[in-house]
Amino acid sequence: MEEKILDMLEELCGDSIVREDTDINLLEEDLIDSLDYTELLVSIEEEFGIVMSPSEFTRDQMDTPAKIIAQVKARMN
Amino acid sequence: MTLFGDFYFFIWAALLLIPAVILGLAEKPIKYYGALVTAVFIYMAMSSSPQAIVNLVIYCLYQLILVNAYIVVNRRKPRNGLLYWLFIVLSILPLGVWKVSAFVTGHGIFAFLGLSYLTFKSVQVIIEIYDGLIEEIKPFDFLYFLTFFPCLSSGPIDRSRRFSGDLNGRLSRAEYIDLLGNGLFKIVLGMVYKFALAAGFYQAITWLGSGSHMINQVIYMYSYGLYLFFDFAGYSLMAVGTSYILGIKSPDNFNKPFIATDMKDFWDRWHMSLSYWFRDFIFSRFMMKAIKGKWFKNKLTGASIGFIINMGVMGVWHGLDIYYIIYGLYHGVLLAITEIYQKKSKFHKKHKKERWYKFISWGITFNLAMFGFFIFSGRFTQLLGLNG
């Protein structure tokens, strides 16, 4: 699952750094914007069947690859 | 009395907030006392119009019934699209009645202070019930969330789950002192913004911006834009600061909007609680539906239409007057152009981190934003003879 999310992020951000540094701040580094975030939520829904709502999390709960993985994991259990 | 607007308000606020501070320092819940203060201030702010108070009470009870009914309905038929839209329409109905009647007749049916802003809060709750994020409504928390006096008239637009968390959470004495200090600082800064700086720019509008010469229009545009910022940011700072004293961390509304280097950056800094509301409840949802349903072949086309719809609705929310609608569409188109340019332009990708490029981008953004306020003010469409 982690691998799949990292794949999604790498494609969205167009940068393999998300794989190397999973604590990188995607917002501050300008790697992800509102539109990418929306696409990420759709990909998560289609891949894992988990509906995540755009207003569910504040941006600082979803601003690094590690946090995103943790939130998806929390929802899968 | 006007909330955050006149001398009496501040005298009353200084007196009535003392017990809140004592409760906060004693690590006791402030919520019940806070609700009492809210009731007192609503009465004082609306006492000149008893009808408005009645309308507010009807509105709150109506919304309370609506959200409770929707919880039951959504439990029986989870995520039913038709019922969801029915409840959204019912939730927006009071605002719609008021906006349309005000536009058509000049004096709206069912008006009261804060109706436009309360609608965001009501609709948010309906949407999050649909999403399964809200499963129960505590009547006290919901009514206090809707009417919380610091944010009643013009925001910032808080979110119900966040608000309830603050309301029912506990702050240690040290945490409360920290919050209190920040709150007082925001109130003082807000007063400087609103009563010194905004008032100063207002004078510039009146004295230098009123002629019909080109130079008057230019002065009007910049001084109106700066007036709008200091007036609204000043009010917002005071509203957020006052919330803090009551133990509620209302979201900030402005983050140095005039240092923005592109229009997307600008909306990340200007009236943030509004733009984030539109992002979370309109733009993102439209885009998710569009992506899932493969409505658009090209990603950028979808995004552009998403931006224009999003900002168009924002314009209409301000009012049905032509200049608000043009204002919304103007920003929608600018965001779409920004998105396309940033994704497509090699020149942008190559130079975006360089100083000179950032400086030029900043200059363009600042002037585009100022021109937006010129439209918003109604002066632009007046010049074009469109105001009717």
Side-chain angles (χ1 to χ4, degrees):
Chain A
M1 183 215 69
E2 281 193 49
E3 264 315 298
K4 279 199 173 137
I5 293 181
L6 289 174
D7 285 344
M8 289 174 195
L9 284 171
E10 188 176 345
E11 204 195 316
L12 276 177
C13 303
D15 199 327
S16 61
I17 192 154
V18 294
R19 209 174 268 286
E20 290 145 27
D21 177 6
T22 52
D23 289 318
I24 190 168
N25 191 309
L26 301 170
L27 296 173
E28 280 168 19
E29 300 297 324
D30 226 0
L31 287 164
I32 196 167
D33 61 20
S34 316
L35 189 61
D36 303 326
Y37 185 70
T38 307
E39 283 193 70
L40 176 69
L41 297 184
V42 174
S43 306
I44 290 172
E45 188 176 334
E46 285 175 348
E47 187 67 43
F48 306 112
I50 300 171
V51 181
M52 288 172 119
S53 137
S55 66
E56 184 166 356
F57 306 100
T58 57
R59 284 299 185 266
D60 57 10
Q61 291 172 309
M62 291 284 267
D63 59 4
T64 70
K67 284 185 194 172
I68 294 168
I69 290 167
Q71 295 288 10
V72 175
K73 259 190 190 157
R75 285 292 289 277
M76 291 184 92
N77 296 329
Chain B
M1 191 205 71
T2 310
L3 296 172
F4 303 101
D6 62 27
F7 185 66
Y8 292 104
F9 168 79
F10 289 100
I11 297 287
W12 278 109
L15 279 172
L16 291 175
L17 289 172
I18 291 170
V21 173
I22 294 169
L23 287 168
L25 292 175
E27 303 186 357
K28 298 268 188 272
I30 309 176
K31 65 190 246 189
Y32 299 108
Y33 181 73
L36 179 72
V37 177
T38 279
V40 170
F41 273 119
I42 288 177
Y43 174 75
M44 287 199 281
M46 296 188 180
S47 60
S48 59
S49 165
Q51 185 60 48
I53 298 180
V54 173
N55 290 347
L56 174 66
V57 171
I58 293 173
Y59 177 88
C60 289
L61 294 177
Y62 170 75
Q63 295 292 350
L64 181 63
I65 293 168
L66 213 57
V67 293
N68 276 294
Y70 189 51
I71 285 200
V72 176
V73 167
N74 193 55
R75 206 175 285 147
R76 290 204 187 139
K77 292 190 166 190
R79 291 181 83 82
N80 177 305
L82 198 67
L83 290 166
Y84 171 57
W85 279 102
L86 174 70
F87 276 85
I88 296 264
V89 169
L90 288 174
S91 187
I92 299 172
L93 191 66
L95 180 69
V97 167
W98 175 64
K99 287 265 174 197
V100 172
S101 62
F103 184 71
V104 174
T105 65
H107 45 267
I109 304 166
F110 202 71
F112 63 86
L113 180 70
L115 172 59
S116 298
Y117 283 88
L118 260 60
T119 302
F120 284 119
K121 299 187 188 180
S122 313
V123 173
Q124 172 248 303
V125 174
I126 297 281
I127 296 178
E128 293 198 337
I129 292 171
Y130 173 79
D131 283 345
L133 300 175
I134 297 175
E135 286 170 339
E136 69 158 322
I137 299 286
K138 292 184 183 137
F140 177 90
D141 287 13
F142 178 73
L143 293 174
Y144 189 32
F145 166 63
L146 281 185
T147 56
F148 184 57
F149 89 87
C151 307
L152 177 74
S153 63
S154 309
I157 304 154
D158 207 347
R159 305 287 174 89
S160 62
R161 290 178 297 123
R162 206 213 62 75
F163 184 87
S164 287
D166 281 1
L167 200 59
N168 301 309
R170 279 181 170 260
L171 289 175
S172 71
R173 191 190 174 117
E175 285 167 333
Y176 182 75
I177 290 175
D178 200 33
L179 199 59
L180 177 66
N182 283 330
L184 291 172
F185 175 74
K186 281 179 191 279
I187 292 172
V188 172
L189 186 63
M191 287 173 133
V192 173
Y193 272 29
K194 188 172 164 76
F195 300 115
L197 297 167
F201 283 109
Y202 190 78
Q203 292 302 318
I205 297 172
T206 324
W207 294 100
L208 302 169
S210 61
S212 58
H213 201 275
M214 181 71 187
I215 189 78
N216 299 119
Q217 310 296 355
V218 173
I219 291 174
Y220 178 87
M221 179 170 97
Y222 289 101
S223 47
Y224 177 81
L226 290 165
Y227 157 77
L228 201 64
F229 168 71
F230 284 113
D231 186 69
F232 195 18
Y235 156 82
S236 299
L237 279 165
M238 292 189 283
V240 173
T242 308
S243 305
Y244 283 10
I245 298 177
L246 291 162
I248 303 289
K249 289 185 218 90
S250 292
D252 284 321
N253 237 357
F254 292 90
N255 178 22
K256 306 183 197 79
F258 297 133
I259 67 164
T261 51
D262 64 55
M263 289 316 286
K264 285 161 74 182
D265 189 22
F266 176 77
W267 281 104
D268 238 353
R269 298 169 172 279
W270 176 271
H271 204 175
M272 291 140 71
S273 68
L274 178 89
S275 67
Y276 293 170
W277 196 99
F278 275 93
R279 180 195 68 194
D280 288 352
F281 296 110
I282 298 186
F283 179 75
S284 300
R285 280 157 210 272
F286 173 82
M287 291 314 301
M288 285 174 79
K289 275 210 171 283
I291 296 168
K292 274 189 234 166
K294 302 193 171 54
W295 293 354
F296 306 103
K297 274 197 187 132
N298 185 325
K299 213 168 98 179
L300 281 174
T301 314
S304 302
I305 291 171
F307 280 126
I308 292 168
I309 290 175
N310 195 54
M311 299 315 269
V313 175
M314 193 264 313
V316 171
W317 170 78
H318 279 101
L320 298 174
D321 307 85
I322 183 83
Y323 43 90
Y324 290 135
I325 295 168
I326 295 179
Y327 171 74
L329 295 175
Y330 170 79
H331 276 291
V333 170
L334 285 182
L335 287 173
I337 293 171
T338 307
E339 182 70 27
I340 294 166
Y341 174 71
Q342 292 186 347
K343 293 269 153 81
K344 289 263 172 193
S345 163
K346 290 198 179 94
F347 187 75
H348 171 77
K349 284 177 186 159
K350 191 174 167 202
H351 297 292
K352 66 178 181 185
K353 297 234 156 104
E354 288 167 39
R355 236 190 192 168
W356 64 269
Y357 186 82
K358 279 189 174 170
F359 180 75
I360 293 173
S361 301
W362 166 80
I364 294 171
T365 306
F366 178 77
N367 285 290
L368 287 174
M370 284 293 167
F371 189 72
F373 298 134
F374 190 59
I375 300 173
F376 184 79
S377 74
R379 184 88 165 238
F380 177 64
T381 42
Q382 191 190 358
L383 285 178
L384 298 179
L386 292 174
N387 279 6

